Amino acid sequence: MVTSDSLLTRNPAFVVEDLTHAFKLPDGGAMTVLQNISLTVRENEFFTVVGPSGCGKSTLLNVAAGLVDASGGKIRLLHENRDLIQTDIGYITQDSNLFPWLTAIENVMVPLEIRGVSKKERISRAEEWLAHVGLTGFENHYPRQLSGGMQKRCSIARTLVFEPKVLLMDEPFGALDAITKSALQKTVTDLWERLRTTVVFITHDLTEAIALSDRVAVMTGRPGAVHALVDIEIPRPRDVYNVTDLPEFKSIRRDLWQLLENDIAIRETAK
Ligand SMILES: Nc1ncnc2c1ncn2[C@@H]1O[C@H](COP(=O)(O)OP(=O)(O)OP(=O)(O)O)[C@@H](O)[C@H]1O
Ligand SMILES: [Mg+2]
């Protein structure tokens, strides 16, 4: 396993120290989901976690987002070596979670309202972000009037509008069709190449992991532990539509697949 020098010189942004988590079971027992996980994601890194279903990936992000208290160890989210507060963290879950009673633009304005941004600025920043995700013209549509992919784009705009220092994304494109998924992968790559927010991304899709990431952590089946860390040495800017044609893509995919072979519950579309 090789970690590039440029990465090591950057500040830590997402530090997991000996993290363990067990959920209590109704019969009084406990199920260990995460076991002794330690890893460091650096500022501006696009870091992806892959692993079999049920190995604890969402639990890891829920602990990071402060939604679940870990049984042992800790996760720290930092920016310029200072601990982040919750309002600095963006979390995009698998569901879009838009407020159904608000229009697209009102949804995108919510995080700005919470942060006390003036109405004039809220409107202009929300319009700008809806444009970034290709939703100009749909500002006044309610979520039910948007397709699944459009709802997802709206939820990405709603999260990025407040410029989070660390962005957590849990299988954000899992439920989408292949064309919408590719288009959103391109949107996210372009935005990330512009903003360089630290991203911790979860996916089942190895192609997506390779196309988007600087590094990929491969987790074991439950209780989830980090099995391997793999550098994705594909130059940027990347053409996410054609990344699968690169010879390095094929060899990285083979390596990742071998690492996952023992925990074959994971599925992905064959390429
Ligand atoms: N709130 C909870 N209470 C009890 N058990 C839970 C809870 N949340 C998750 N689990 C259990 O913890 C394990 C890990 O769940 P988690 O959602 O973190 O897995 P995952 O790796 O994200 O899976 P997937 O890839 O299917 O999304 C599962 O066995 C799940 O049943
Ligand atoms: Mg999950």
Side-chain angles (χ1 to χ4, degrees), residues 45-98:
E45 187 176 1
F46 199 118
F47 185 88
T48 294
V49 180
V50 299
S53 182
C55 75
K57 302 180 296 298
S58 296
T59 305
L60 179 71
L61 287 201
N62 286 337
V63 173
L67 303 177
V68 169
D69 279 334
S71 321
K74 58 182 175 189
I75 298 186
R76 293 176 66 198
L77 279 75
L78 305 124
H79 182 68
E80 292 172 354
N81 292 323
R82 274 193 229 120
D83 284 290
L84 292 178
I85 55 171
Q86 209 140 8
T87 48
D88 288 323
I89 302 163
Y91 189 9
I92 298 179
T93 55
Q94 191 159 4
D95 304 320
S96 295
N97 289 331
L98 295 173

Side-chain angles (χ1 to χ4, degrees), residues 187-216:
T187 303
V188 164
T189 306
D190 291 349
L191 289 174
W192 177 82
E193 278 172 2
R194 205 159 57 78
L195 299 173
R196 294 289 167 147
T197 303
T198 307
V199 178
V200 181
F201 189 94
I202 288 176
T203 182
H204 275 131
D205 180 340
L206 294 187
T207 300
E208 178 168 88
I210 299 167
L212 302 184
S213 319
D214 294 318
R215 268 193 310 159
V216 174

Side-chain angles (χ1 to χ4, degrees), residues 49-153:
V49 180
V50 299
S53 182
C55 75
K57 302 180 296 298
S58 296
T59 305
L60 179 71
L61 287 201
N62 286 337
V63 173
L67 303 177
V68 169
D69 279 334
S71 321
K74 58 182 175 189
I75 298 186
R76 293 176 66 198
L77 279 75
L78 305 124
H79 182 68
E80 292 172 354
N81 292 323
R82 274 193 229 120
D83 284 290
L84 292 178
I85 55 171
Q86 209 140 8
T87 48
D88 288 323
I89 302 163
Y91 189 9
I92 298 179
T93 55
Q94 191 159 4
D95 304 320
S96 295
N97 289 331
L98 295 173
F99 300 115
W101 60 89
L102 297 179
T103 62
I105 192 159
E106 287 166 347
N107 264 284
V108 177
M109 290 193 309
V110 167
L112 300 178
E113 204 169 345
I114 291 167
R115 288 163 180 82
V117 175
S118 73
K119 184 157 188 195
K120 193 161 164 255
E121 199 185 332
R122 289 206 298 269
I123 293 172
S124 73
R125 278 169 64 182
E127 281 174 345
E128 189 189 325
W129 273 96
L130 285 170
H132 284 321
V133 298
L135 284 179
T136 300
F138 293 90
E139 292 86 350
N140 298 317
H141 282 56
Y142 286 90
R144 66 175 179 279
Q145 299 171 310
L146 301 173
S147 72
M150 290 161 104
Q151 290 179 28
K152 186 52 70 182
R153 282 188 268 155

